[in-house]
Amino acid sequence: MIDLRILRENPDRVTKLLGTRNVPAGEVTRLLELDTELRRAIAARDEIRASINQLSKSVGELRRSGRDDEAVRAQEQSRDLGEQLKALETRATELTEARDAIWLVTPNLPSKDAPIGEDERDNRVVRYWSPEDGHRGVEDFELPTFAEHQRVPHWETGAELGILDFERATKISGAMFSMFRGPGARLLRSLTSLALDMHTETFEEIRPPTLVKRETMLATGHLPKFADEAYAVERDDLYLIPTAEVPLTSLGRNEIFEEAELPLRFAAYTPCFRREAGAAGRDTRGLLRLHEFDKVELLSYCTPDQGQDLFFEVLRQAELLLQALGLTYRVLDLCTGDLGQSSARTFDLEVFSPGTDKWLEVSSVSLFTDYQARRANLRYRSSDGAVGFVYTVNGSALAWGRVIAAMLEVGRQPDGSVVLAEVLAPYFRGTTITKSEKSPASISKNH
């Protein structure tokens, strides 16, 4: 949640900043109005409560001094104030609910460094990287040349090699689910092990629960705004996580850390679940858009002064992994109109897929400032004893579906086999995928 003190002190500035995020000015004004009304109601409620307490004390004193008539009048006055108190408490509850309904879906204030824009068309490409040329600026980058055999979509290569079985995944679970088989399953496991080994020298490895409480989803901003995207287990009021960011953020919920403990760095592998509401027909073939996928996530708690350094550290971790895998990628600085709700600034990493001739997002690295920490009541005590909210930073390193899609296309050989990056050899037990003898095509289809 945004800091309401900033809104109270400088409403014009906040309205302007949120306007760059496509938030109507009237919505910001309404939030401020409700906040003002609520503070007045709370002040009046507290004043009456104090008066009732004072009258209660005075009744005893009056009776002890034999002034029974005055004691009766004080009791009557206290009862009248009690009725006013009930009304004010009801009003405060109503105002709190109305204010929070807006506050909880109001996006974070964008960083001054985030480019201004309306939507994804205004995102800014920062740089490119390719195995042939390394880092390149926007002006001097040329897409590597891909041979015809590398232009085959990954879903065709995966089926030919028997490592992707979408037909049976659909039979078991429905559309937009995947199944990895044989070397495909081993590749997925190898990528996860490689990523964790690369990250856990500096990040503590965590294996969090996959099902979380409603308040855990609220803490990151995934609820209430993105309820339609979440898989809910309604009977138990639990949610399947859309990303490990959700449980990792709540590791320290309602806790206070000492400044000397920060930054804290966490790395987690989990499956992730997203309904992908509204995605029908849009990049839904193969591994491009799935309801369930595997991902390694990095997340840090830090002080405000550490935020920028941690932000770029997580970005660097994700880039190093893509470079180790030998995939051409680009870094996008998301404009204000395309930022996620909780983010103040985000860099997306996109790999090039020659089989679909598209750039595919495989990581988002975000600086959330104190937005999530306010929702999670995640705080730290500075060296001078002051208590404030931590900053949170997170990024995918990496989401495997689209990474594997690009690897199967880039690494495809003229004979249909796939050569993987050398860095995977110790995990995969080699670097070449050939047609499996236990491919789905070789399994008898009895009906």
Side-chain angles (χ1 to χ4, degrees):
M1 298 182 288
I2 64 171
D3 186 347
L4 288 179
R5 290 177 302 176
I6 299 174
L7 175 60
R8 295 165 192 158
E9 293 168 4
N10 202 333
D12 291 340
R13 174 175 174 269
V14 172
T15 300
K16 183 178 180 180
L17 286 172
L18 291 177
T20 69
R21 303 208 55 181
N22 303 316
V23 178
E27 194 169 305
V28 183
T29 300
R30 183 57 179 155
L31 175 60
L32 181 58
E33 289 172 347
L34 288 168
D35 178 62
T36 302
E37 288 185 57
L38 175 59
R39 293 168 68 205
R40 288 172 181 163
I42 289 173
R45 179 201 66 189
D46 292 347
E47 185 177 339
I48 289 178
R49 189 176 286 162
S51 297
I52 291 174
N53 291 337
Q54 185 59 42
L55 284 168
S56 297
K57 292 178 182 178
S58 67
V59 168
E61 295 172 356
L62 290 168
R63 291 198 183 282
R64 283 192 295 274
S65 62
R67 298 153 65 187
D68 291 345
D69 290 345
E70 292 181 50
V72 170
R73 286 195 294 272
Q75 284 180 313
E76 291 174 349
Q77 187 180 356
S78 179
R79 280 194 294 270
D80 290 341
L81 288 175
E83 292 301 315
Q84 295 180 44
L85 179 61
K86 288 180 183 177
L88 281 169
E89 286 176 338
T90 299
R91 179 60 176 158
T93 299
E94 293 171 348
L95 286 169
T96 298
E97 291 174 353
R99 181 201 64 179
D100 290 357
I102 299 175
W103 194 16
L104 284 169
V105 298
T106 299
N108 199 357
L109 301 180
S111 165
K112 61 180 177 58
D113 298 315
I116 305 297
E118 292 186 10
D119 53 37
E120 61 185 12
R121 293 170 297 181
D122 296 319
N123 292 338
R124 184 176 66 199
V125 178
V126 177
R127 60 180 172 274
Y128 293 88
W129 186 92
S130 68
E132 293 82 2
D133 301 321
H135 284 299
R136 283 290 180 269
V138 177
E139 301 300 328
D140 60 354
F141 173 76
E142 291 186 8
L143 195 66
T145 300
F146 294 99
E148 198 62 32
H149 60 267
Q150 295 173 296
R151 294 282 183 178
V152 177
H154 68 276
W155 54 83
E156 293 183 14
T157 298
E160 290 169 1
L161 293 174
I163 62 176
L164 292 176
D165 190 350
F166 294 107
E167 180 182 348
R168 287 181 174 84
T170 300
K171 177 175 69 174
I172 293 168
S173 300
M176 295 173 64
F177 283 91
S178 65
M179 183 184 293
F180 293 86
R181 305 187 69 147
R186 190 163 75 247
L187 173 58
L188 186 62
R189 174 163 48 89
S190 299
L191 285 165
T192 299
S193 297
L194 168 66
L196 290 174
D197 284 351
M198 285 184 66
H199 303 322
T200 49
E201 287 188 9
T202 51
F203 289 74
E204 178 189 359
E205 184 174 351
I206 305 286
R207 178 51 175 95
T210 308
L211 286 162
V212 296
K213 297 178 180 179
R214 178 181 296 270
E215 53 263 40
T216 305
M217 292 282 281
L218 280 166
T220 53
H222 286 84
L223 287 181
K225 190 168 187 177
F226 302 107
D228 289 345
E229 287 289 338
Y231 280 103
V233 183
E234 295 179 1
R235 178 176 177 177
D236 302 300
D237 197 22
L238 294 172
Y239 291 83
L240 288 163
I241 60 171
T243 166
E245 171 198 333
V246 171
L248 292 180
T249 300
S250 280
L251 283 179
R253 191 170 74 231
N254 297 325
E255 296 182 28
I256 300 176
F257 295 92
E258 298 300 325
E259 183 176 6
E261 298 179 77
L262 301 177
L264 293 173
R265 300 173 173 89
F266 307 114
Y269 154 72
T270 63
C272 304
F273 303 87
R274 300 180 187 180
R275 293 179 62 84
E276 294 290 355
R282 185 164 58 94
D283 291 338
T284 54
R285 291 203 67 179
L287 300 171
L288 300 185
R289 193 177 297 274
L290 300 170
H291 291 311
E292 178 184 356
F293 59 94
D294 290 352
K295 182 156 66 85
V296 173
E297 195 80 358
L298 304 178
L299 186 135
S300 295
Y301 301 164
C302 58
T303 68
D305 289 341
Q306 296 167 337
Q308 284 290 335
D309 288 343
L310 265 294
F311 179 46
F312 286 104
E313 177 182 318
V314 173
L315 177 63
R316 183 169 61 254
Q317 290 287 124
E319 287 196 67
L320 288 174
L321 186 48
L322 285 176
Q323 292 171 17
L325 295 174
L327 296 176
T328 298
Y329 69 88
R330 66 182 182 181
V331 181
L332 272 68
D333 194 354
L334 299 197
C335 74
T336 52
D338 198 34
L339 289 173
Q341 176 183 320
S342 301
S343 180
R345 194 180 187 196
T346 294
F347 286 114
D348 273 3
L349 297 178
E350 297 182 340
V351 298
F352 186 75
S353 158
T356 62
D357 199 31
K358 292 180 179 178
W359 292 96
L360 307 177
E361 179 196 329
V362 295
S363 175
S364 280
V365 179
S366 297
L367 171 64
F368 297 125
T369 60
D370 60 0
Y371 185 91
Q372 292 179 330
R374 289 180 181 280
R375 302 170 79 104
N377 193 29
L378 180 56
R379 296 170 292 166
Y380 76 101
R381 183 180 291 104
S382 65
S383 55
D384 61 5
V387 175
F389 291 101
V390 305
Y391 272 26
T392 54
V393 175
N394 103 288
S396 310
L398 296 159
W400 296 132
R402 293 172 183 172
V403 168
I404 291 175
M407 291 174 65
L408 294 181
E409 294 166 2
V410 172
R412 192 174 189 275
Q413 305 301 300
D415 64 358
S417 64
V418 172
V419 175
L420 306 173
E422 188 66 34
V423 71
L424 285 168
Y427 303 93
F428 189 74
R429 302 194 300 274
T431 58
T432 304
I433 303 177
T434 56
K435 185 175 179 62
S436 171
E437 293 180 0
K438 297 180 179 180
S439 71
S442 70
I443 300 175
S444 176
K445 294 184 179 180
N446 295 318
H447 297 284

